[in-house]
Amino acid sequence: MGGGRMLPILGAFRHHICLRTSSLTASTPRAFTSQIIKSPSLLSLDLSDSWSSPSKQSEESYTPEEYSNNCIAKIIDGKAIAENIRSRIASEVSRMKELIGHVPGLAVILVGQRRDSQTYVRNKIIASEEVGIKIKMISLPENCDECEVCNVLCRFNKDPSVHGVLVQLPLPQHLDEAKILNVINVEKDVDGFHPVNMGNLAMQGMEPLFIPCTPKGCIELLVQSGVEITGKKAVVIGRSNIVGLPMSLLLQRHHATVTVVHDFTKKPEKITREADILVTAAGVANLVRGSWLKPGVVIVDVGTNPIEDRRSEHGYRLIGDVCLEEAIRTASAITPVPGGVGPMTVAMLLYNTLLSAKRAFNFT
Amino acid sequence: MGGGRMLPILGAFRHHICLRTSSLTASTPRAFTSQIIKSPSLLSLDLSDSWSSPSKQSEESYTPEEYSNNCIAKIIDGKAIAENIRSRIASEVSRMKELIGHVPGLAVILVGQRRDSQTYVRNKIIASEEVGIKIKMISLPENCDECEVCNVLCRFNKDPSVHGVLVQLPLPQHLDEAKILNVINVEKDVDGFHPVNMGNLAMQGMEPLFIPCTPKGCIELLVQSGVEITGKKAVVIGRSNIVGLPMSLLLQRHHATVTVVHDFTKKPEKITREADILVTAAGVANLVRGSWLKPGVVIVDVGTNPIEDRRSEHGYRLIGDVCLEEAIRTASAITPVPGGVGPMTVAMLLYNTLLSAKRAFNFT
């Protein structure tokens, strides 16, 4: 990345970030997008809102009666879809290596010793290496200060062999997460958590450089499962900066009518019962029961909650936010936990890293 | 604004913008906020979501039976509330002039000759001058190119006597609105339309430098009218970057359960009938009828739609998106058009300009 493309970061704690505005709204190359993932670029979705005639507005998307309690939901196989995407990414990476002698590089910063974070980071590293993405990994001690994290970040921001920089969240309490995420160069923000990427995700007519991996993975699951999003009622449970918020923004860019349910929502089950598409990211095991669901709903379960299980090798197993046994009798499709959204998050991280490297090398 | 605080813009069409990251999350000084407007800083609202017990969640906010069809809605007097805010701003501006010899400066760029835009700009100029804000106004011809607009913007970006820069929207079709808005220095983005301000508005734990004027004005009307927002069901009709989108994000930061209704929404009246708070920004006269409303709803009508009226001086008058005669019998409170949201938008623009000048001069 040449000096003419981006001003250098002026050192940790001066907190200047410099954006090349023209690239903030750059659209994803269409051919490339259709090759690896199926979800379209956001700009291609933009349509002007002109309030139409009541006849169009009252059209029903489907008849709930089509679904009876005896139907069994289709299980959306996130693992298989993700594997397919990863193999396409691997082909692209080898083509890149062959043609220009470079591969994408991903830098990962892990602070502290959280077990779950270590597992997530390990999975990301293995998956990256499998597709040929070069990893640079820095572990910092639990008690490190903001200055140390920012110094590492600035080094990666400037390193031309690094195309994606990610800080594994959550960070230890004493570190200011917002401040640290702000230091990441937006052109390497493969997690898509920088405010400028979030703003461009929210605003019609804009295209973020990166879309957060989990929401992007959820949309890809819906698109690949043939679920129509436009005009559907979508309910998102949870409003975290990492999942719930960008998920709701992305569904809205896809022209769903979106409601976000959170801790302050009264009678959430009344709202979820209206959903054609339900995305759960509450982090509460079995929060969503069968009675919370409209017959025929499509469910994307982002929750991964450990529950004790003595029969399991590690003494626990992961379950989602949705009570699968109950949901399976009401929903038309559902993502399992594990094997649903999880593998897609990792695949989208690799996709974003490849996208970033292609931009940096102007490789099409 | 010294060179050490912000890197210079490198000329039009190189589209570099430079942000001082530390200031992106700067919180509004509390004392100042409480002095002029009543709505709290967003950071002060942040609460961690912990899914609570069903008993709390099922608590009802009020009994709809309290309201009967014979009740007449309270009219929320935006004109009076805005006047009060403007007079407080005027006092602050004179105090500033007295103590440091400076006043806030606002630069306005108007492209083309749209009648409505000319009226809006004139109103903003008159209101600014009344409170002592210094105006710099540039009119550009309808057929000017992006380069000309950006050159003017860059001049204002660098001018230390200018604390707010606004481009009156909509721009002529041939100009790229997104590109032009991106050129505005985020530290002078008093309209709050820059993606980084929008991203910080969306994300918990962040505080934008400026909140878009109309949504901020709507929240202020609700707060000053004693309307509780936390835990309420809010429906926003419209999802424009200027009103609908930031309105929904702001209501969510205030812990409402928000649904955004737009052109692709089927049976919007079924959704609006669930709303405790309804904000309409569709731009369609009388779109919302009495049958769309839940008894006791609080309505903020952002629509200003001209309809023919021969008895009026100009041959037309303005009405809102809501059929007032019908709504008044169902709602508990409603903002009128004109005299509701309109004056608040202007007051919030003055507020944002003062805020920006206070930041620039470090004046408390």
Side-chain angles (χ1 to χ4, degrees):
Chain A
M1 202 166 287
R5 290 204 54 208
M6 211 190 73
L7 295 172
I9 294 292
L10 304 175
F13 285 106
R14 289 181 62 183
H15 295 139
H16 284 84
I17 57 158
C18 307
L19 321 175
R20 214 171 55 105
T21 309
S22 61
S23 65
L24 293 181
T25 54
S27 63
T28 312
R30 302 293 157 84
F32 169 51
T33 306
S34 62
Q35 213 180 335
I36 296 181
I37 63 170
K38 298 208 171 160
S39 30
S41 89
L42 295 184
L43 276 180
S44 74
L45 292 171
D46 281 342
L47 296 161
S48 62
D49 275 356
S50 61
W51 293 84
S52 50
S53 63
S55 64
K56 185 196 147 204
Q57 285 174 5
S58 61
E59 177 196 324
E60 261 293 353
S61 53
Y62 66 84
T63 338
E65 287 74 41
E66 283 172 25
Y67 304 93
S68 83
N69 279 349
N70 299 322
C71 286
I72 293 292
K74 174 190 160 191
I75 301 292
I76 298 175
D77 188 348
K79 208 173 153 199
I81 295 173
E83 253 172 39
N84 192 283
I85 291 171
R86 291 210 313 269
S87 95
R88 287 165 193 240
I89 293 171
S91 307
E92 263 316 86
V93 172
S94 13
R95 193 171 69 88
M96 193 176 215
K97 192 172 182 181
E98 209 169 290
L99 291 174
I100 60 167
H102 291 289
V103 296
L106 175 64
V108 182
I109 301 170
L110 174 64
V111 183
Q113 309 237 299
R114 277 180 69 117
R115 270 284 195 69
D116 54 349
S117 291
Q118 286 175 329
T119 308
Y120 292 138
V121 164
R122 193 170 47 242
N123 290 344
K124 289 170 187 175
I125 291 176
I126 294 169
S128 298
E129 289 175 339
E130 268 176 16
V131 299
I133 291 174
K134 210 174 148 190
I135 286 284
K136 295 197 176 181
M137 157 85 194
I138 295 278
S139 282
L140 291 171
E142 178 82 23
N143 62 355
C144 73
D145 64 19
E146 266 164 36
C147 191
E148 288 173 79
V149 183
C150 289
N151 278 335
V152 172
L153 275 178
C154 288
R155 212 168 68 224
F156 287 142
N157 277 346
K158 279 186 275 191
D159 184 340
S161 73
V162 168
H163 308 99
V165 176
L166 79 82
V167 178
Q168 185 63 41
L169 300 181
L171 288 169
Q173 284 282 329
H174 69 284
L175 297 175
D176 183 339
E177 206 165 280
K179 213 182 221 171
I180 287 171
L181 292 181
N182 254 316
V183 174
I184 297 176
N185 175 353
V186 284
E187 298 195 21
K188 299 187 178 186
D189 174 37
V190 285
D191 260 341
F193 297 155
H194 193 287
V196 86
N197 275 324
M198 203 64 83
N200 281 322
L201 175 62
M203 295 170 82
Q204 287 185 80
M206 307 296 218
E207 183 116 20
L209 287 174
F210 304 101
I211 296 172
C213 304
T214 302
K216 178 88 180 151
C218 294
I219 292 287
E220 184 67 17
L221 285 178
L222 293 173
V223 170
Q224 292 218 18
S225 304
V227 177
E228 174 71 35
I229 304 172
T230 298
K232 292 292 162 68
K233 274 193 200 167
V235 173
V236 178
I237 306 185
R239 54 171 174 172
S240 69
N241 289 343
I242 296 173
V243 183
L245 171 69
M247 187 75 242
S248 65
L249 299 173
L250 195 50
L251 282 164
Q252 186 160 299
R253 289 292 294 267
H254 280 260
H255 311 297
T257 299
V258 185
T259 305
V260 179
V261 162
H262 48 77
D263 187 32
F264 290 86
T265 303
K266 286 160 190 154
K267 299 193 181 169
E269 67 281 10
K270 245 188 99 177
I271 296 169
T272 56
R273 271 200 293 268
E274 296 292 321
D276 302 311
I277 296 167
L278 178 63
V279 181
T280 63
V284 179
N286 288 328
L287 175 74
V288 176
R289 312 303 302 246
S291 62
W292 288 40
L293 306 173
K294 170 171 163 176
V297 61
V298 175
I299 303 173
V300 180
D301 190 346
V302 184
T304 44
N305 312 294
I307 58 157
E308 206 184 290
D309 181 358
R310 289 190 190 157
R311 286 166 304 176
S312 156
E313 190 190 342
H314 303 287
Y316 73 93
R317 64 187 169 95
L318 294 177
I319 65 166
D321 290 346
V322 180
C323 179
L324 188 70
E325 306 89 81
E326 292 178 12
I328 214 162
R329 286 193 292 257
T330 308
S332 62
I334 185 167
T335 62
V337 178
V341 175
M344 290 300 286
T345 298
V346 177
M348 289 301 139
L349 174 67
L350 309 181
Y351 174 78
N352 278 350
T353 307
L354 172 61
L355 190 72
S356 181
K358 287 188 148 201
R359 270 196 212 111
F361 295 125
N362 205 10
F363 180 83
T364 48
Chain B
M1 201 166 286
R5 289 204 57 205
M6 211 189 73
L7 295 172
I9 293 293
L10 303 175
F13 285 104
R14 289 181 62 183
H15 296 137
H16 284 84
I17 58 159
C18 306
L19 320 176
R20 213 171 57 102
T21 310
S22 60
S23 65
L24 293 182
T25 52
S27 62
T28 312
R30 302 293 157 86
F32 169 51
T33 306
S34 63
Q35 212 177 336
I36 295 181
I37 64 170
K38 298 207 172 160
S39 29
S41 87
L42 295 184
L43 277 179
S44 74
L45 292 171
D46 282 342
L47 296 161
S48 62
D49 274 355
S50 61
W51 294 83
S52 49
S53 63
S55 64
K56 187 196 144 202
Q57 286 174 5
S58 63
E59 176 195 324
E60 262 293 353
S61 52
Y62 65 84
T63 337
E65 288 73 38
E66 283 172 24
Y67 302 93
S68 83
N69 280 348
N70 298 321
C71 285
I72 294 292
K74 175 190 160 191
I75 302 292
I76 298 175
D77 189 348
K79 210 174 151 199
I81 296 174
E83 255 173 37
N84 192 282
I85 292 172
R86 290 211 313 269
S87 94
R88 288 165 193 238
I89 293 172
S91 309
E92 262 318 85
V93 172
S94 14
R95 192 172 70 89
M96 194 176 214
K97 194 173 181 179
E98 209 169 291
L99 290 175
I100 61 167
H102 291 290
V103 296
L106 175 65
V108 182
I109 301 170
L110 174 64
V111 184
Q113 308 235 300
R114 276 179 69 118
R115 270 284 197 68
D116 55 348
S117 291
Q118 286 175 329
T119 307
Y120 291 138
V121 164
R122 193 170 47 242
N123 290 345
K124 288 170 187 176
I125 291 176
I126 293 169
S128 298
E129 288 175 340
E130 268 177 16
V131 298
I133 290 174
K134 210 174 147 190
I135 286 284
K136 296 198 177 183
M137 157 85 194
I138 295 278
S139 281
L140 292 172
E142 178 82 23
N143 62 355
C144 74
D145 64 18
E146 265 165 37
C147 192
E148 287 173 80
V149 184
C150 290
N151 278 336
V152 172
L153 276 177
C154 287
R155 213 168 67 224
F156 287 143
N157 277 346
K158 279 185 274 190
D159 183 340
S161 74
V162 168
H163 308 99
V165 177
L166 80 84
V167 178
Q168 184 64 40
L169 301 180
L171 288 169
Q173 284 282 326
H174 69 284
L175 297 175
D176 184 338
E177 204 166 281
K179 214 182 221 172
I180 287 171
L181 292 180
N182 253 315
V183 175
I184 297 176
N185 175 353
V186 284
E187 298 194 21
K188 300 188 178 187
D189 175 37
V190 285
D191 259 341
F193 298 155
H194 192 287
V196 86
N197 276 323
M198 203 64 83
N200 281 321
L201 175 62
M203 295 169 79
Q204 287 184 81
M206 306 296 217
E207 184 116 19
L209 286 174
F210 304 100
I211 296 172
C213 303
T214 302
K216 178 87 181 152
C218 294
I219 292 287
E220 185 66 16
L221 285 177
L222 293 173
V223 170
Q224 291 219 18
S225 304
V227 177
E228 174 72 36
I229 304 172
T230 299
K232 292 294 162 66
K233 274 193 197 166
V235 173
V236 177
I237 306 184
R239 54 170 174 172
S240 69
N241 289 343
I242 297 173
V243 183
L245 171 69
M247 187 76 241
S248 65
L249 299 173
L250 195 50
L251 282 164
Q252 187 159 298
R253 289 292 294 267
H254 280 261
H255 312 298
T257 299
V258 184
T259 305
V260 178
V261 162
H262 49 76
D263 188 32
F264 290 86
T265 302
K266 287 160 190 154
K267 299 193 179 167
E269 67 280 11
K270 246 188 97 176
I271 296 168
T272 56
R273 271 200 292 269
E274 296 292 321
D276 301 312
I277 296 168
L278 177 63
V279 181
T280 65
V284 179
N286 289 327
L287 175 75
V288 177
R289 311 304 301 248
S291 62
W292 288 41
L293 305 172
K294 170 172 164 176
V297 61
V298 175
I299 303 174
V300 181
D301 190 346
V302 184
T304 45
N305 311 295
I307 58 157
E308 207 184 290
D309 182 357
R310 289 188 190 159
R311 287 167 303 178
S312 156
E313 191 190 342
H314 303 288
Y316 73 93
R317 64 188 169 94
L318 296 176
I319 64 166
D321 290 347
V322 180
C323 179
L324 189 71
E325 306 89 82
E326 293 178 13
I328 214 163
R329 287 194 291 258
T330 308
S332 63
I334 185 167
T335 62
V337 178
V341 175
M344 290 300 286
T345 298
V346 177
M348 289 302 139
L349 174 66
L350 310 181
Y351 175 79
N352 278 351
T353 308
L354 171 61
L355 191 71
S356 182
K358 287 188 148 200
R359 270 196 212 113
F361 295 125
N362 205 12
F363 180 82
T364 47

